[in-house]
């Protein structure tokens, strides 16, 4: 199995011509064909936690990706889509790479792959069920039809997350299950030399982590709505004291003077009465 080198893939993405002419297709180098992502897989994929494989064994949220068959055209020095002359079948599978900060010796995989830089084909999860499904099928094959160059992998799902289980009730194999997932697309045809394509690291989220992310997103949305809404301004009620004639015309409006009113207390009233009585007697 020949795999596309990272430098070649970067060059192919940089020097890619999406609309070649028929003459350019005929002049393409078919000794080496390559696959490129027309729709790469998502960075984060939902999957059931390894500690819940016995109690809640179910596939994760479906995702999709697409690849395109390409060839190098020496006359223009670019990579172009290559429509196949006959049907070509592509298959997808998950390869795992040991995480650097975990004990790889907890799993029997370490007996065969001593280096953590090695990639291991992961066909089944710790419970013995297929790790990746297409719908309800574990056979993940897609055909590029004659005259086309693109293959679409839809309704893909993972049945187990990539992190090791921490629960004591989990399966022993699940407690040593700690990988970096990578999606590999390849062809088994012998007519052409088609370089396989491997994705970047797929991060897996469990049910609980996705629920936490949805809650965080909803809280952020609520905060943004509150910040976006303008604050309510309090209006002061102003009562204008005007005479009835002032509403008829602005020219007839006269200033109104108010005489201060002295508040009479009981002591003031008694003092006033005494002064009046003293005045009468005099």
């Amino acid at each position: 199995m020949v795999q596309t080198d990272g430098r070649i893939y970067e060059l192919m993405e940089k020097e890619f011509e999406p609309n070649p002419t028929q003459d350019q297709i005929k002049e393409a180098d078919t000794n080496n064909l390559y696959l490129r992502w027309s729709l790469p897989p998502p960075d984060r994929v939902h999957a059931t936690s390894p500690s819940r494989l016995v109690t809640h064994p179910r596939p994760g949220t479906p995702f999709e990706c697409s690849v395109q068959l390409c060839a190098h055209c020496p006359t223009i020095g670019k990579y172009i889509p290559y429509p196949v002359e006959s049907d070509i079948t592509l298959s997808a599978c998950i390869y795992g790479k040991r995480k650097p900060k975990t004990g790889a010796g907890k799993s029997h995989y370490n007996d065969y792959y001593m280096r953590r830089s090695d990639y291991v084909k992961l066909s089944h999860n710790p419970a013995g069920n297929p790790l990746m499904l297409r719908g309800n099928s574990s056979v993940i094959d897609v055909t590029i039809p004659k005259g086309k160059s693109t293959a679409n992998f839809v309704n893909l799902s993972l049945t187990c997350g990539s992190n090791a289980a921490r629960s004591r009730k989990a399966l022993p194999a699940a407690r040593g299950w700690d990988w970096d997932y990578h999606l590999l697309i390849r062809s088994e045809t012998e007519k052409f030399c088609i370089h396989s394509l491997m994705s970047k690291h797929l991060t897996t989220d469990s049910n609980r982590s996705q629920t936490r992310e949805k809650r965080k997103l909803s809280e952020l949305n609520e905060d943004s709505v509150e910040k976006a809404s303008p604050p309510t301004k309090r209006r002061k009620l102003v009562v204008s004291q005007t005479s009835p004639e002032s509403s008829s015309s602005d020219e007839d409006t006269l200033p109104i003077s108010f005489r201060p009113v002295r508040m009479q207390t009981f002591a003031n009233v008694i003092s006033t009465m005494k002064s009046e009585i003293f005045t009468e007697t005099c």
Side-chain angles (χ1 to χ4, degrees), residues 37 41-51 53 60 63 93-100 109 118-127 129-133 157-165 173-174 176-184 198-206:
W37 297 111
D43 295 333
R44 308 184 74 90
V45 179
H46 171 252
T48 302
S49 173
S51 60
L53 289 177
F63 64 95
C93 58
I94 293 293
Y95 270 70
K97 182 180 179 181
R98 273 300 181 184
K99 294 184 178 180
Y109 289 98
D118 290 332
Y119 289 91
V120 184
K121 183 179 180 180
L122 303 175
S123 302
H124 298 84
N125 60 27
N129 299 320
L131 178 58
M132 187 166 63
L133 298 174
S157 60
L158 299 178
T159 61
C160 179
S162 60
N163 298 323
W177 185 269
D178 212 6
W179 303 92
D180 285 336
Y181 285 169
H182 296 267
L183 181 63
L184 182 74
M198 181 174 286
S199 72
K200 296 181 180 180
H201 170 219
L202 300 178
T203 303
T204 57
D205 294 328
S206 62

Side-chain angles (χ1 to χ4, degrees), residues 123-168:
S123 302
H124 298 84
N125 60 27
N129 299 320
L131 178 58
M132 187 166 63
L133 298 174
R134 185 188 178 196
N136 296 324
S137 176
S138 60
V139 180
I140 308 175
D141 293 338
V142 175
T143 301
I144 301 179
K146 180 181 179 180
K148 302 293 182 180
S149 62
T150 305
N152 300 318
F153 291 85
V154 297
N155 204 18
L156 302 179
S157 60
L158 299 178
T159 61
C160 179
S162 60
N163 298 323
R166 298 181 180 178
S167 175
R168 296 180 179 179

